[in-house]
Amino acid sequence: MFRYRRKLEMGLREAEEKFKAKLEEKGYKVVLEFTPSDVVKAKLGVEMEPYRLLYVCNPKKFYEMTKVEYEIGSFAPCPVILYQKDGETYIAINTAEDIVEVIKEPLEDVKAVIEGL
């Protein structure tokens, strides 16, 4: 598929805490957190298992990447998915080489909006 995914033998909250602690050891921080499952419930009234997005950034590495490609910000910070499905906890990241075809239509929609500004 289009992601690197691991099933974890712990709950979502514990997984998130451990992940954040390990990230900090490597100079990374979670700079933005978002819970789409809460938005789905609020906007559609549909219950789904917890689904979290954690946007991870190493400021030094980000700065160095902007020297190579200034508009790298559409890919960095790196989004990490932390979710439960059927009572199991998973953590995943998408890999760029395989995701493009999956997100092609939404990218084209957003591109059209940008062109219309």
Side-chain angles (χ1 to χ4, degrees):
M1 196 61 180
F2 59 87
R3 72 187 63 82
Y4 170 77
R5 175 180 54 207
R6 274 196 68 210
K7 181 177 168 185
L8 303 174
E9 300 299 324
M10 62 188 83
L12 192 78
R13 186 164 301 198
E14 181 184 359
E16 185 173 336
E17 289 172 5
K18 285 185 174 186
F19 178 66
K20 287 178 178 179
K22 294 281 188 186
L23 279 176
E24 288 201 26
E25 292 173 9
K26 297 197 175 279
Y28 287 82
K29 299 266 187 207
V30 173
V31 295
L32 178 66
E33 301 180 36
F34 176 57
T35 308
S37 55
D38 289 348
V39 175
V40 168
K41 181 177 180 182
K43 298 292 183 181
L44 303 177
V46 176
E47 290 283 344
M48 60 183 292
E49 292 182 90
Y51 195 106
R52 302 263 297 142
L53 292 173
L54 307 175
Y55 290 86
V56 174
C57 182
N58 177 310
K60 182 179 179 186
K61 289 183 181 186
F62 177 80
Y63 176 68
E64 293 301 319
M65 288 187 299
T66 63
K67 290 179 180 179
V68 176
E69 174 52 62
Y70 198 74
E71 293 179 351
I72 194 69
S74 62
F75 292 99
C78 174
V80 177
I81 308 162
L82 188 59
Y83 65 95
Q84 287 184 320
K85 184 160 177 80
D86 300 324
E88 302 288 346
T89 302
Y90 297 88
I91 190 166
I93 57 173
N94 290 319
T95 55
E97 61 270 6
D98 296 322
I99 192 65
V100 174
E101 190 60 36
V102 175
I103 65 170
K104 185 176 182 177
E105 184 179 342
L107 285 176
E108 290 298 320
D109 291 344
V110 174
K111 183 179 173 185
V113 170
I114 292 169
E115 288 176 359
L117 293 178

